[in-house]
């Protein structure tokens, strides 16, 4: 059992040389608050009576901090109450609760952890067998998918589409991640309203011309899997995390044994998917999202 898993809630967890996903998310938030405050780590340490080592390891994500430590740091850094509450809540999660995060139907985009992983990624690989991968969707496409669940309220649908669009901004950052998405061929036959279909093709046209975006189609006859949608993130330190999706939960996985089946799926997808040039022709064809109807 890991150190994190064996410590009771509310106790200070031992530092480890290998950071956890949870501690890195907290560390990134502390680093951002520190930068906004224009204070130094030494100044924060002095305010709180901490050692420089403790402060540094919290900011770099090598110490799993308690809720009290996180809140104290953010107060010292003059963070806004909403940010203090959000990051403190992440610190308060048990490792098990952090690794299984609930969200509204088909809306992991509402989870801060997913935003953190995307914002700190060096490379991203994504596959979703039943819809376009989230990073490739227009707002209209997302709203169509969410309405079809028949469960979500109109306000949640609008907020969810907005959250997904916000998450996509990482693709336009000057030093954004290199992103590869695998699109199941069957997804392209889904009928959409003509305006939604046209807007979605236009966005795909933008992505296929993006130097860091790689879109490849997985032929329906070439790859069959029971795998649910997932995304593999790798940061610039080589840390790898998979987020795997069920309709109402996001799994956050970083154990090598847990990552192995997803890496195997990516290898299979890469070997069987159409080349990027052939995929682009199919993605941009007028018949994509065939059977489109007038608005």
């Amino acid at each position: 059992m890991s150190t994190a898993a064996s410590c009771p809630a509310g106790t200070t967890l031992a530092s480890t040389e290998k950071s956890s996903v949870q501690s890195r998310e907290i560390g990134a938030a502390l680093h951002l608050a520190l930068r906004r405050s224009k204070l130094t780590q030494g100044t924060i340490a002095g305010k709180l009576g901490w050692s420089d080592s403790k402060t540094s390891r919290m900011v770099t994500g090598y110490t799993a901090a308690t809720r009290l430590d996180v809140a104290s740091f953010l107060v010292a850094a003059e963070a806004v109450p909403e940010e203090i509450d959000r990051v403190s809540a992440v610190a308060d999660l048990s490792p098990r609760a952090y690794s299984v995060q609930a969200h509204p139907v088909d809306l992991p985009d509402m989870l801060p952890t997913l935003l953190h992983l995307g914002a700190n990624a060096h490379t991203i690989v994504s596959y979703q067998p039943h819809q376009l991968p989230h990073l490739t969707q227009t707002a209209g496409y997302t709203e169509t998918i969410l309405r079809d669940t028949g469960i979500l309220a109109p306000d949640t649908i609008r907020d969810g589409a907005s959250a997904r669009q916000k998450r996509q901004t990482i693709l336009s950052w000057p030093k954004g991640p290199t992103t590869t998405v695998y699109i199941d061929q069957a997804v392209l036959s889904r009928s959409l309203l003509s305006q939604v279909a046209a807007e979605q093709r236009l966005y795909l046209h933008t992505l296929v011309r993006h130097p860091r975006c790689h879109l490849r189609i997985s032929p329906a006859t070439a790859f069959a899997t029971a795998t649910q949608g997932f995304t593999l993130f790798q940061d610039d330190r080589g840390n790898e995390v998979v987020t795997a999706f069920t309709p109402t939960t996001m799994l956050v996985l970083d154990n090598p044994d847990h990552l192995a089946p997803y890496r195997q799926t990516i290898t299979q997808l890469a070997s069987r998917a159409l080349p990027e040039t052939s995929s682009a022709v199919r993605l941009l064809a007028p018949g994509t999202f065939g059977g489109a109807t007038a608005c």
Side-chain angles (χ1 to χ4, degrees), residues 153-177:
D155 286 350
T156 303
I157 291 172
R158 286 192 295 271
D159 291 346
S162 176
R164 190 159 295 173
Q165 292 294 295
K166 178 181 178 181
R167 192 158 69 86
Q168 291 174 7
T169 60
I170 59 173
L171 301 180
S172 61
W173 291 358
K175 295 184 179 180

Side-chain angles (χ1 to χ4, degrees), residues 214-243:
H214 308 284
L215 279 61
R216 298 182 61 189
I217 294 174
S218 174
T221 56
F223 187 75
T225 179
T227 301
Q228 296 297 309
F230 69 90
T231 301
L232 172 69
F233 300 89
Q234 185 181 75
D235 67 18
D236 58 7
R237 287 192 263 172
N239 297 306
E240 291 188 331
V241 180
V242 161
T243 55

Side-chain angles (χ1 to χ4, degrees), residues 126-186:
S126 186
Y127 172 64
Q128 290 175 269
H130 306 303
Q131 58 181 280
L132 290 174
H134 292 163
L135 291 175
T136 68
Q137 295 181 10
T138 62
Y141 184 97
T142 300
E143 290 180 5
T144 298
I145 294 290
L146 297 179
R147 274 197 302 268
D148 285 354
T149 66
I151 296 173
L152 299 173
D155 286 350
T156 303
I157 291 172
R158 286 192 295 271
D159 291 346
S162 176
R164 190 159 295 173
Q165 292 294 295
K166 178 181 178 181
R167 192 158 69 86
Q168 291 174 7
T169 60
I170 59 173
L171 301 180
S172 61
W173 291 358
K175 295 184 179 180
T178 297
T179 303
T180 301
V181 298
Y182 293 98
I183 300 171
D184 196 283
Q185 180 174 298

